[in-house]
Amino acid sequence: MGDKIRRIGVLTSGGDAPGMNAAVRAVVRTAIGNGIECIGIRRGWSGLINSDFVRLDSTSVSHIINRGGTILYTARCEEFLDPAGRDKAIATCKLLGLDGIVAIGGDGTFRGALALSRQVAERGQKLDVIGIPATIDNDIGCSYYTIGFDTACNTAIECIDKLRDTMQSHERCSVVEVMGRHAGYLALYVGTAVGATAVLIPERPVDFERDVVDKIRRARLAGTTHYMVVVAEGAGSAFEIATRIHDEIGIDPRVTVPGHIQRGGAPSARDRETASRMGYMAVQTLMEGKGNRIIAVQRGRLGDLDMEEALTMTKEFDMSLYAVLEAVTNGGSSRF
Ligand code: F6P
């Protein structure tokens, strides 16, 4: 055990993700159960700069495990990238008497956390920061799972299942653009789960003839008269893909971009469970006297990693799922 932790801050930063509330709840309840006070920092790092906070007790996090979004609000904060901005944040930490901060978010959130803790150390002080990975993109190199991914997959699947009904009735082609920033996890999982005719992801350079034209053609030859093309936003624009399909095959696709709908909604069982475990572990880690750690999933197990090292880590994109998609969707009947 390290020095006694008396008071911690918790914040959510970057794009929101379903399950962030469940993580906040777990942090607050675990802290309070161990005699640690908990302060909610609102609007991410900008809340720390602007001293925008709320005291949290056990009941302030009642009935939020089932809610999407984040009760603490979130933001992307340019000012925090600047040492002068971080100095203001350090002043808030000092004023509030924070011994540690749990930051829930993505890569940018953790980079901010690390920069803050280093700057605090340069001033001869100490602030332990812990990161909890939460983003629908599942694109954090050190963790094989990020809170929100499963819910976002399910939301996108629900949208596409509905689209399939109307595409089938009208015998049309649908091009759906899913989020994911520069990563194709969401698109590949969703595409596989809906049995998409074609899935375009940034991890696999697109050959339009092979990856789209040929797949639609083979589906048609197998008797299908409706097609579902799923495009990761990092692999191109659905509108451009649709235009190309029209120009090269002569069919008239409809484009759907579910957009931020994918970030909302009640978190799935997996996201509630993961968030609860991660929030609990974040506070335990602080209580063990460890700072600058990220709670991460490695080899299917939850653990804590050194933050600096974790931020240099990359994870291998599991292309075997693409092979599965091809085998089960386009290998046989080419029907979705
Ligand atoms: O990182 C989550 C994410 O939803 C990405 O999938 C997407 O590219 C981006 O955030 C959208 O950001 P914003 O909320 O600023 O529109």
Side-chain angles (χ1 to χ4, degrees):
M1 287 284 159
D3 293 344
K4 170 93 178 112
I5 300 274
R6 289 156 306 159
R7 191 173 300 118
I8 61 170
V10 57
L11 59 86
T12 51
S13 169
D16 64 349
M20 277 184 162
N21 278 330
V24 170
R25 172 180 176 272
V27 168
V28 172
R29 294 261 168 97
T30 309
I32 288 170
N34 286 285
I36 299 168
E37 277 182 61
C38 214
I39 308 289
I41 310 295
R42 287 189 292 223
R43 302 176 176 86
W45 295 121
S46 68
L48 211 56
I49 290 175
N50 300 315
S51 203
D52 181 3
F53 67 90
V54 56
R55 293 188 72 154
L56 296 172
D57 60 24
S58 207
T59 53
S60 21
V61 291
S62 295
H63 314 303
I64 65 165
I65 193 168
N66 55 327
R67 282 171 53 192
T70 160
I71 60 160
L72 293 178
Y73 304 97
T74 185
R76 295 190 170 100
C77 179
E78 290 285 317
E79 198 184 348
F80 200 70
L81 300 176
D82 182 13
R86 291 197 295 273
D87 267 335
K88 291 188 199 164
I90 292 171
T92 304
C93 292
K94 210 169 166 188
L95 181 68
L96 300 179
L98 299 182
D99 299 314
I101 290 186
V102 179
I104 305 166
D107 228 48
T109 305
F110 303 152
R111 288 186 198 285
L114 190 60
L116 177 71
S117 105
R118 280 183 179 153
Q119 202 162 310
V120 170
E122 280 165 20
R123 309 279 183 274
Q125 298 156 22
K126 189 170 179 291
L127 180 74
D128 289 333
V129 290
I130 308 286
I132 294 183
T135 160
I136 65 161
D137 303 333
N138 199 23
D139 62 348
I140 295 179
C142 67
S143 185
Y144 278 81
Y145 189 75
T146 62
I147 296 167
F149 177 68
D150 184 60
T151 308
C153 282
N154 287 320
T155 303
I157 287 166
E158 196 185 330
C159 291
I160 295 174
D161 283 347
K162 285 179 176 155
L163 266 178
R164 177 212 291 251
D165 293 342
T166 169
M167 291 302 130
Q168 194 162 24
S169 307
H170 284 265
E171 300 179 285
R172 277 177 173 155
C173 173
S174 218
V175 183
V176 186
E177 185 178 305
V178 304
M179 278 188 169
R181 203 179 288 271
H182 306 299
Y185 294 98
L186 203 51
L188 185 54
Y189 275 64
V190 166
T192 305
V194 300
T197 318
V199 177
L200 306 182
I201 51 173
E203 291 80 2
R204 188 175 190 268
V206 176
D207 174 333
F208 201 77
E209 181 65 28
R210 176 196 65 191
D211 298 332
V212 181
V213 174
D214 187 52
K215 288 192 167 145
I216 292 177
R217 244 181 223 139
R218 289 203 297 130
R220 180 69 196 97
L221 287 169
T224 301
T225 55
H226 61 287
Y227 321 99
M228 185 62 69
V229 178
V230 173
V231 187
E233 64 174 337
S237 142
F239 289 96
E240 284 168 18
I241 304 286
T243 304
R244 245 179 119 178
I245 290 174
H246 175 263
D247 293 348
E248 295 191 26
I249 316 181
I251 56 176
D252 190 17
R254 293 294 187 269
V255 173
T256 303
V257 183
H260 292 77
I261 285 174
Q262 293 161 98
R263 288 228 304 252
S268 67
R270 180 170 188 189
D271 284 326
R272 295 181 199 201
E273 184 251 4
T274 308
S276 299
R277 281 184 194 274
M278 285 184 167
Y280 170 84
M281 189 175 268
V283 177
Q284 294 287 336
T285 305
L286 280 173
M287 285 165 53
E288 283 164 22
K290 293 196 260 178
N292 293 3
R293 314 292 294 177
I294 293 181
I295 308 300
V297 179
Q298 288 276 325
R299 295 191 179 89
R301 291 186 68 84
L302 215 54
D304 61 283
L305 303 170
D306 174 71
M307 192 174 270
E308 189 166 356
E309 201 187 322
L311 286 173
T312 65
M313 289 166 77
T314 50
K315 63 183 174 195
E316 206 185 325
F317 191 86
D318 184 7
M319 265 313 169
S320 67
L321 187 58
Y322 196 91
V324 171
L325 167 87
E326 295 220 293
V328 302
T329 307
N330 295 303
S333 68
S334 291
R335 287 166 192 275
F336 83 92

